Amino acid sequence: MPEQLAFTIEVFLNGLMAGVLYALVALGFVLIYKASGIFNYAQGVMALFAAMTLVGIQNGQVPFAHLINAIFGTDLHKFGWSVHSFAAILLTVIVMIGLAWAVQRFVFRHLVGQEPIILFMATIGLAYFLEGVADLMWGSELKTLNVCAAEGTCLPQGMNVWLEGTTYEALGYGFFIDNLDIVASIVAAVLVIGLVVFAQYTKQGRAMRAVADDHQAALSVGVSLNFIWILVWSLAGFVALVAGIMWGAKSGVQFSLSLIALKALPVLMLGGFTSIPGAIVGGLIIGVGEKLFEFLIGAPFLGGATENWFAYMLALLFLVFRPQGLFGEKLIERV
């Protein structure tokens, strides 16, 4: 196989892996928007908050240590123990469920019936509030995230040696595919299957779909909107935790992690704001598109760095010609 063609295939595969990571973030947006009509600008910060909480629990860090030390003149930093990754993930899930309850109880419960722009502005405020709370709780320094099932069995990092050797023997060119990207793809596939099964075959999932279709009709048959919205925000928090783990393990847990929400916006515009499969397909299109465009056009003819804007240009085209996205529902309003 010609080396240029093999390299193009490698870029394509790496684009698929990057698209999976984008799709993980977009899933949280879809879940909340589909059930409540709220575009949750805070989804990226939720991923940051979940990742920082997981690292803090794992390392036995004292929450709000800097604030406590400043007020009481103490020198507290850590409890002196570490928590196993599995237990830390369970505790973080509980924290995210508590966050979902608090968001519904103290914010959106009081905004029922308000205009969508007011709800959107509320999520912007929530994003900055969560970012500030995360800073106070766990500090702003860069953190390393390691999720391990047992000693020496952690999320894999670096190139997949087996795949590199196999492709070299078969094609004469070894593909460089990151182990963490492969794991993220598998996790995303399992997560999407789980969400689809939950939505289609469980009582709570059917209630969630009913709320998404018509709030008033769902209320009339006894569905609790408060419970469903807490459930939806909890699921979005769990998706944010998964995305935070994958992105945090890949690039470290830092405040720039919250900016991954901006990369999820083109994914939503392509796939549609109300479709779980659309989030996955949109993520793959964006991931592959930006990598191939950079490789084939950006680097040779435009000086590179096209990955920063290609996704938004593609999303703009979709907004012009198909604003509901590939899988979104076309809305028709009668006047």
Side-chain angles (χ1 to χ4, degrees), residues 7-168:
F7 193 38
T8 303
I9 296 174
E10 180 186 358
V11 171
F12 176 85
L13 293 176
N14 277 288
L16 288 178
M17 302 300 176
V20 167
L21 292 175
Y22 298 153
L24 279 175
V25 183
L27 280 174
F29 285 96
V30 169
L31 287 170
I32 292 177
Y33 187 83
K34 186 174 177 61
S36 62
I38 299 173
F39 179 78
N40 180 27
Y41 182 83
Q43 186 65 30
V45 181
M46 287 173 63
L48 167 69
F49 182 82
M52 292 185 72
T53 301
L54 176 59
V55 174
I57 292 174
Q58 278 184 311
N59 296 335
Q61 188 175 344
V62 178
F64 300 104
H66 296 291
L67 186 62
I68 294 172
N69 293 337
I71 294 175
F72 298 103
T74 55
D75 190 29
L76 297 174
H77 295 286
K78 292 188 176 181
F79 290 111
W81 65 68
S82 59
V83 180
H84 189 275
S85 296
F86 182 74
I89 289 174
L90 287 180
L91 291 172
T92 306
V93 168
I94 293 172
V95 170
M96 298 307 290
I97 292 173
L99 175 64
W101 176 85
V103 166
Q104 173 60 22
R105 176 68 176 81
F106 298 110
V107 181
F108 292 107
R109 181 181 177 185
H110 304 286
L111 297 177
V112 174
Q114 296 295 326
E115 294 294 325
I117 186 61
I118 295 177
L119 299 174
F120 173 64
M121 294 300 292
T123 65
I124 295 178
L126 177 64
Y128 286 104
F129 174 78
L130 282 180
E131 194 166 328
V133 170
D135 189 7
L136 286 174
M137 284 184 70
W138 309 114
S140 58
E141 66 275 5
L142 173 65
K143 299 172 176 63
T144 301
L145 176 58
N146 291 314
V147 176
C148 302
E151 186 68 29
T153 309
C154 303
L155 283 176
Q157 301 280 354
M159 181 182 67
N160 187 292
V161 178
W162 177 84
L163 186 59
E164 191 273 340
T166 302
T167 53
Y168 183 81

Side-chain angles (χ1 to χ4, degrees), residues 158-243:
M159 181 182 67
N160 187 292
V161 178
W162 177 84
L163 186 59
E164 191 273 340
T166 302
T167 53
Y168 183 81
E169 292 179 2
L171 306 174
Y173 180 88
F175 288 176
F176 184 95
I177 305 294
D178 192 275
N179 281 309
L180 185 61
D181 291 341
I182 297 174
V183 172
S185 301
I186 297 172
V187 169
V190 172
L191 186 62
V192 170
I193 293 171
L195 289 173
V196 170
V197 170
F198 174 81
Q200 296 289 338
Y201 300 106
T202 66
K203 180 180 178 181
Q204 292 78 13
R206 288 191 291 270
M208 190 172 71
R209 289 163 52 206
V211 170
D213 290 336
D214 192 317
H215 291 178
Q216 296 301 322
L219 277 173
S220 68
V221 296
V223 175
S224 171
L225 290 185
N226 282 333
F227 170 77
I228 292 301
W229 283 337
I230 291 174
L231 174 63
V232 168
W233 279 85
S234 298
L235 288 174
F238 177 73
V239 172
L241 172 60
V242 175

